[in-house]
Amino acid sequence: MFGYRNTKLFFKNKQLIITKGGPRQEVFAVTKEQFDFIFNKLKAILQKEPYCAGVFVGIYGKKFRPSLEICEKLFKISKRNAIMVNEKAAILFSYGRDIMLKSIVKVYEPLREIAVVIDPQENVIGLCKLTVKDLDKVSLGEYVVCENIIDKGWYLRKGH
Amino acid sequence: MINPFKTFNISLDYVKPSASALKLAKEYNFPPHLVERYVKMLGHSDAKALLDTVGKGLKKAIRCNKLKIDCKHLKQRLEKKNIVLKEVNFIDYGFWLLKGEDRIGHTLEYLYGFYYIQNPASMLPPYILAPTPEDVVLDMCAAPGGKTTHLAEIMKNKGIILAVDVSREKMKTLRSHLSRMGVENVIAVRMDVREIRKLKNTFTKVLLDAPCSGEGLIPIDPENVREREIKDFYTMASKQLEMLKIAYEVVKEGGEIVYSTCSIAPEENEFVINEMLNLFKDKILVEEPKVKAGMHGYTEVFNVKLHADLRKCIRLYPHKHGTEGFFMCKLRKIG
């Protein structure tokens, strides 16, 4: 989604852990220091699983689902796979709405099926799923081209 | 009634209301035993000023998240939305809201994690603890995460913060705030904080924002305070003392502990610290906090003479400082 080199750059000096405490297996990227603390203190002495740690990478299942947090960090490094929308659409997206073609200000190529949504100042608002293969082939401005998967308002509406 | 203080004597006569306290209690529809305490703590006119704040609410404030934005830039962005800020005098990245209080929780900037809505009194404990990126910090009652995210900000997202809380629901809120604010150096664990004592001499710094009676929240939650009986303060103090002893056990020699509550009750504050100083004598010190805020802690109150070092603790009052009523004290474990 963000290129091999960019992804490698973020995960340099980080280790992955999978939490087993909850109903779903969640993946977190932690520093070596955090990793040692989790295994040598939390697990070995307290016999506890972390609820969360470091950066939430995604949910591990049949198919890996990346988190908004990791996509935000990888976009900041790579500046790719993102759709910039106008201020009004950014606010609507943060309330769970989808993206119409007319709201798009700029596209950060190459786009994948799951793209990052950003506001005009390049702040990440969420993730959306493209409903068309080629944005240039859509002529109707009101046409929904990307469906909301998760947005920052979700933290307020539901939370983890 | 539980009396957790074994090293000094307290006579409960101090809650018998005087005629002037009875008059004030009637005027403000507040329990006489509480009013009597306020008169003894603050004097008649200040007690009256405190009671004037009952149910009046507090001005809102925000803490700028320097991990994500430059505070001048945030101020400009919010001003464009007609949200006007004024710097808190003791923390340069804390801001009172002069205009736009009703919208402050609904902006995109909030969702982006550019700030945390927090009373300035609550900004002080992490600021006083002043952890560095090299520290291993324990946040004992971490949820919902206001102080945890602040610690992470001070530590520049480096080092380790172990954030512990027992509440499942509050833990979700903590995690949401950590994500929103871009925090990366926290390990959050849901457990009873008493279990942490197995990690003896592990942490370089400990923040204990202890559960309390909430007596400092008179302006925003007066009904809760009205229900308080004297025994409640001592029951709370018993739990607080137990937690502070745990903090002492898990901090390394030379390490620091900041103890804080959103209560103005000396029973939950100076008495608890005084007991610790008596119990651990030359193995614990009260440190002078490097911040000019609030008033000194009591060294004598309710006819109880306390350690002179308690003067170094900080008290904040709604009628004097416009904040929640708050207490904090910095301690150092010595060898």
Side-chain angles (χ1 to χ4, degrees), chain B residues 67-79:
Chain B
L67 290 178
K68 283 206 158 183
I69 194 168
D70 171 74
C71 297
K72 275 186 190 164
H73 188 199
L74 172 68
K75 206 172 171 219
Q76 286 165 359
R77 276 185 75 137
L78 291 178
E79 274 167 6

Side-chain angles (χ1 to χ4, degrees), chain A residues 26 34 51-52 54 69 73 119, chain B residues 112 175 179 184-186 188:
Chain A
E26 294 181 321
Q34 289 171 332
Y51 183 83
C52 62
E69 284 94 319
K73 293 193 190 292
D119 76 357
Chain B
Y112 294 153
R175 185 168 167 188
S179 297
E184 296 179 12
N185 62 341
V186 168

Side-chain angles (χ1 to χ4, degrees), chain A residues 3-154:
Chain A
Y4 176 75
R5 272 191 202 166
N6 298 316
T7 310
K8 199 177 166 191
L9 188 67
F10 175 80
F11 286 101
K12 194 182 167 191
N13 300 327
K14 289 202 172 68
Q15 316 219 17
L16 295 178
I17 59 160
I18 299 173
T19 55
K20 294 164 190 161
R24 53 189 192 179
Q25 294 195 316
E26 294 181 321
V27 185
F28 294 90
V30 295
T31 60
K32 170 84 171 59
E33 228 183 334
Q34 289 171 332
F35 186 86
D36 290 344
F37 192 92
I38 289 167
F39 280 86
N40 299 336
K41 305 284 183 186
L42 271 194
K43 294 195 182 207
I45 301 175
L46 296 177
Q47 274 117 44
K48 294 282 174 193
E49 281 288 326
Y51 183 83
C52 62
V55 179
F56 179 36
V57 178
I59 297 166
Y60 182 76
K62 277 183 188 167
K63 201 178 169 187
F64 178 73
R65 283 161 50 203
S67 72
L68 176 54
E69 284 94 319
I70 197 69
C71 291
E72 176 168 3
K73 293 193 190 292
L74 292 174
F75 165 73
K76 295 239 161 97
I77 299 171
S78 67
K79 303 284 177 187
R80 57 193 274 177
N81 189 29
I83 293 171
M84 182 187 278
V85 296
N86 62 37
E87 199 76 44
K88 191 183 166 193
I91 294 168
L92 290 173
F93 190 80
S94 75
Y95 284 100
R97 302 279 284 272
D98 299 326
I99 291 168
M100 290 189 282
L101 184 69
K102 65 176 185 183
S103 317
I104 298 175
V105 176
K106 191 176 167 185
V107 173
Y108 293 67
E109 300 278 6
L111 285 181
R112 297 282 177 181
E113 191 187 8
I114 309 288
V116 172
V117 183
I118 57 173
D119 76 357
Q121 288 82 39
E122 287 194 349
N123 296 302
V124 174
I125 324 160
L127 300 178
C128 70
K129 187 180 178 182
L130 285 166
T131 55
V132 288
K133 280 194 176 160
D134 190 349
L135 288 175
D136 292 335
K137 285 185 181 166
V138 184
S139 52
L140 273 175
E142 308 268 323
Y143 196 84
V144 170
V145 289
C146 214
E147 286 173 352
N148 185 315
I149 297 174
I150 189 168
D151 58 83
K152 293 238 164 153
W154 182 85

Side-chain angles (χ1 to χ4, degrees), chain B residues 292-333:
Chain B
K292 279 185 183 171
M295 297 165 69
H296 297 297
Y298 290 112
T299 52
E300 189 170 355
V301 67
F302 306 151
N303 298 322
V304 182
K305 198 157 172 47
L306 305 161
H307 273 264
D309 274 355
L310 288 172
R311 193 176 181 278
K312 295 174 189 167
C313 305
I314 295 176
R315 286 188 152 262
L316 292 160
Y317 292 101
H319 65 288
K320 280 190 178 292
H321 310 103
T323 63
E324 294 168 353
F326 216 86
F327 173 89
M328 67 210 83
C329 209
K330 188 175 186 178
L331 305 165
R332 182 184 293 277
K333 180 176 176 177

Side-chain angles (χ1 to χ4, degrees), chain B residues 15 123 142 184 203 231-232 257 271 274 302 327 335:
Chain B
V15 292
M123 297 176 197
E184 296 179 12
F203 302 94
K231 67 172 188 209
D232 296 337
I257 302 167
F271 284 11
N274 196 61
F302 306 151
F327 173 89

